[in-house]
Amino acid sequence: MPDNHGAGPLVLAFDTSAAHCAAALLSGDRILASAHEDMAKGQAERLMDLCAGVLESAGYSYSDLGAIGVGIGPGNFTGIRIGVSAARGLALGLGIPAVGVSNFDALRHGTSGPCACAVDARRGQVYLQVFENPSLSQTPALFDSTALPAFDGPLIGAGGQPPIHPVAEAIAHLAARRHATTTQRPAPLYLRPADAAPARDAPPTILP
């Protein structure tokens, strides 16, 4: 097993909340390996193999992990549940903490000062969270993409500038910071109900 030189726990992070399957492995403040595959469906079948490949490429295995990080949304209803279920299962099986990270926090990671982070919600809408704008609510909400509130700082994400870090890498960094104080298991972040038509393959059930 490679030595991480006491740099902190080895953190595996992944995200399936959008049309992708992404994973990253972090030791201390250094990304050891990462992978990102665009896919509209099939994340449930691909995720664990992708994570295993990321671990193997850095010379580690699941038993070496000290924490799990996972994207909790908002985003694709089924994709979020796939990722959260996988994180909970791995954490339970390995006896390590799992940390849920919102897409807004992942988008903002590496950016300081006032800003807003937007996630594509389709139908001409975005999920938006504003940061460090005292006159505005900091609670994430759904907006028409052409009617966003006025805010200070850049827009990061959908309709704005790209984030500094790829999603899985940002989740890994944030999970490494939060794992020691996180007490709640990851839970999906939904800002609107699922579409009325159920998926042909039912998503995994998330227990409280």
Side-chain angles (χ1 to χ4, degrees), residues 9-198:
L10 194 67
V11 179
L12 175 68
F14 47 83
D15 182 69
T16 55
S17 66
H20 62 235
C21 193
L25 185 66
L26 176 80
S27 176
D29 61 358
R30 186 164 66 96
I31 296 295
L32 303 180
S34 64
H36 183 111
E37 297 180 6
D38 293 328
M39 55 179 64
K41 58 182 180 180
Q43 290 96 331
E45 294 78 15
R46 182 63 182 133
L47 176 59
M48 299 312 295
D49 283 344
L50 188 75
C51 290
V54 166
L55 284 163
E56 183 179 357
S57 69
Y60 289 96
S61 66
Y62 284 109
S63 62
D64 298 315
L65 294 174
I68 300 290
V70 63
I72 60 171
N76 177 273
F77 181 83
T78 300
I80 294 169
R81 296 174 79 84
I82 289 168
V84 169
S85 295
R88 286 191 177 190
L90 283 172
L92 180 63
L94 297 171
I96 60 177
V99 181
V101 176
S102 78
N103 281 346
F104 304 116
D105 286 346
L107 286 168
R108 188 178 186 235
H109 180 62
T111 299
S112 60
C115 67
C117 295
V119 177
D120 184 9
R122 300 185 179 182
R123 308 171 191 169
Q125 297 178 308
V126 296
Y127 304 113
L128 186 79
Q129 183 169 5
V130 176
F131 294 90
E132 296 188 33
N133 277 250
S135 63
L136 298 173
S137 171
Q138 312 296 295
T139 302
L142 184 66
F143 290 90
D144 288 336
S145 57
T146 57
L148 301 182
F151 54 85
D152 294 330
L155 175 65
I156 305 170
Q161 67 186 44
I164 292 175
H165 298 279
V167 60
E169 296 183 15
I171 292 169
H173 283 287
L174 292 169
R177 292 181 185 176
R178 299 173 180 177
H179 80 279
T181 56
T182 296
T183 57
Q184 293 184 330
R185 295 189 296 174
L189 175 60
Y190 299 135
L191 296 183
R192 71 178 175 202
D195 293 338

